[in-house]
Amino acid sequence: MKQSTFVQTNEALWHQLEAWLDFQQLPAKERAKRHTEEPQLDFPADYRHLCHHLALAQSRMYSPLLIERLNQLVVRGHNQLYSSRMHFWYRTVDFFLRGLPQLVRQEYKLVYLAIALFFGSLISMIIAIQLQPELVYSVIDGQQVALMEEMYDPNNRSRFGREREADSDMLMFGFYIRNNTGIGFQTFAGGLAFGLGTLFFLLYNGLVIGAIAGHLTEIGYIETFWSFVAGHSAFELTAIVLSGAAGLKLAEALVLPGRKSRRLALLDNSRIAIQIVYAAALLFFMAAFVEAFWSSQAIIPPLVKYLVGMGLWILVILYFLRVGREQQA
């Protein structure tokens, strides 16, 4: 193939790559000032084509100017590809060390509302069952109550908290992830029903967890139950609250869209809500890990589990209250 035909065939792709690379190197503020849309292309695939074009140009001994142009373009693409990967990890770390806690504090009203609904119903049910034990059956059926009693009976070696094999721990890890993420997704997605679903699941999960905790406390299974849940409670319960806050953010767009259309308000709020869901998902994963590989270990003394649980609660609270404040200020 003649050089002129080769250039004419591939010139459009080279121009697209040059325009895309120029755009990527612009600072964010400069992009906003220019109001320029990002050029559309499939960079990994087009970059491979570019490398192939350079190899062809060299093997066919095209002009040094063309080879130099393609070589410089390949070098720019290589640097962008490498920096993009590094930038992804930098953004991820920056999000969790700065952006996420700032975002949660920014949405404090919704977070506090989710806390009030979830922990309010949970604590109220625990207290109510201490005063009127039969209330547990208004939330949980008798078969489930019997199963919970058997599970946490100090004299029952088949309860959770027994010494398990490693493969059993992995199996339970998968089960906890599935169960936890199911709760979180229901709570979050319920916001699309104008918040009614989110309100229901926050209250429902608070009542159910409170009923279980209250009943097992009332019948004296304090050590077996509370030492088991102490370790993972900070991650799991906080994740439920954040899922609720994210669902309420969706509901806010539908109930109080302001001057925006509901569609536009939902689109804007969903960008914020999904970031909160990322945090909830990570916390659910961490809760499942702790529950499977730490909480279930019978050889660990209850006092140690309590101390670790308290420490994790302190860390979670400090993370959302303090982390990122220096940059925010």
Side-chain angles (χ1 to χ4, degrees):
M1 180 185 292
K2 293 183 178 179
Q3 177 173 316
S4 58
T5 305
F6 177 76
V7 172
Q8 184 178 3
T9 302
N10 301 301
E11 184 75 34
L13 174 62
W14 301 340
H15 277 306
Q16 286 180 334
L17 280 165
E18 287 174 337
W20 187 84
L21 289 169
D22 290 341
F23 181 86
Q24 298 303 318
Q25 292 174 353
L26 287 175
K29 292 182 179 179
E30 186 66 24
R31 296 184 197 179
K33 287 181 182 178
R34 295 189 181 188
H35 301 286
T36 305
E37 292 187 3
E38 179 177 358
Q40 298 299 313
L41 83 165
D42 182 358
F43 177 65
D46 291 337
Y47 178 70
R48 287 195 296 270
H49 291 313
L50 175 66
C51 293
H52 180 61
H53 295 163
L54 174 61
L56 286 176
Q58 290 173 332
S59 65
R60 294 170 181 173
M61 293 183 290
Y62 289 151
S63 72
L65 290 176
L66 176 61
I67 293 175
E68 178 62 20
R69 176 191 175 188
L70 294 178
N71 185 65
Q72 289 182 359
L73 197 53
V74 166
V75 170
R76 289 182 64 190
H78 176 269
N79 292 337
Q80 179 63 37
L81 186 65
Y82 178 77
S83 64
S84 295
R85 292 173 179 171
M86 295 297 293
H87 187 53
F88 168 78
W89 290 112
Y90 171 79
R91 285 189 302 170
T92 301
V93 172
D94 181 68
F95 171 70
F96 285 106
L97 292 184
R98 184 179 64 88
L100 174 60
Q102 290 181 0
L103 180 63
V104 170
R105 291 194 293 270
Q106 173 187 312
E107 301 298 330
Y108 71 94
K109 292 181 180 178
L110 298 179
V111 174
Y112 286 160
L113 178 56
I115 289 173
L117 292 168
F118 178 66
F119 282 103
S121 58
L122 188 156
I123 296 172
S124 297
M125 181 55 70
I126 291 176
I127 295 173
I129 288 178
Q130 308 314 302
L131 302 175
Q132 196 170 348
E134 61 273 13
L135 276 177
V136 66
Y137 297 103
S138 65
V139 179
I140 308 174
D141 62 46
Q143 185 177 0
Q144 288 180 302
V145 172
L147 179 62
M148 289 295 169
E149 290 178 357
E150 179 183 5
M151 188 182 301
Y152 293 101
D153 186 345
N155 299 316
N156 187 356
R157 295 302 298 171
S158 67
R159 64 178 174 83
F160 284 138
R162 66 189 186 280
E163 296 182 25
R164 294 197 304 245
E165 300 296 331
D167 56 347
S168 298
D169 287 337
M170 285 300 300
L171 182 64
M172 294 309 298
F173 178 50
F175 170 79
Y176 293 140
I177 289 178
R178 178 182 176 185
N179 182 69
N180 292 348
T181 53
I183 293 173
F185 178 77
Q186 287 177 328
T187 307
F188 167 60
L192 293 174
F194 291 86
L196 296 177
T198 297
L199 295 176
F200 171 78
F201 285 113
L202 282 173
L203 291 171
Y204 173 77
N205 286 303
L207 290 173
V208 169
I209 296 173
I212 293 171
H215 177 69
L216 294 174
T217 299
E218 194 274 331
I219 64 175
Y221 294 175
I222 296 173
E223 184 175 289
T224 52
F225 173 74
W226 289 105
S227 66
F228 177 79
V229 301
H232 60 271
S233 61
F235 299 139
E236 185 172 332
L237 301 187
T238 303
I240 294 175
V241 166
L242 291 180
S243 298
L248 293 173
K249 190 65 180 178
L250 298 181
E252 182 184 57
L254 299 174
V255 177
L256 299 170
R259 296 183 178 180
K260 302 178 184 178
S261 66
R262 282 193 171 89
R263 180 179 177 278
L264 181 57
L266 184 60
L267 183 63
D268 291 341
N269 282 19
S270 64
R271 293 192 180 101
I272 297 174
I274 199 66
Q275 294 182 69
I276 300 176
V277 169
Y278 291 155
L282 178 61
L283 288 171
F284 276 133
F285 181 87
M286 294 168 66
F289 183 86
V290 173
E291 190 170 1
F293 298 103
W294 168 267
S295 302
S296 62
Q297 299 303 314
I299 60 173
I300 302 173
L303 179 60
V304 175
K305 291 185 176 181
Y306 291 142
L307 292 175
V308 169
M310 291 173 58
L312 291 176
W313 268 110
I314 293 172
L315 287 176
V316 168
I317 292 171
L318 288 177
Y319 171 76
F320 286 109
L321 289 181
R322 302 302 307 170
V323 172
R325 283 196 178 275
E326 297 79 7
Q327 298 92 329
Q328 199 170 24

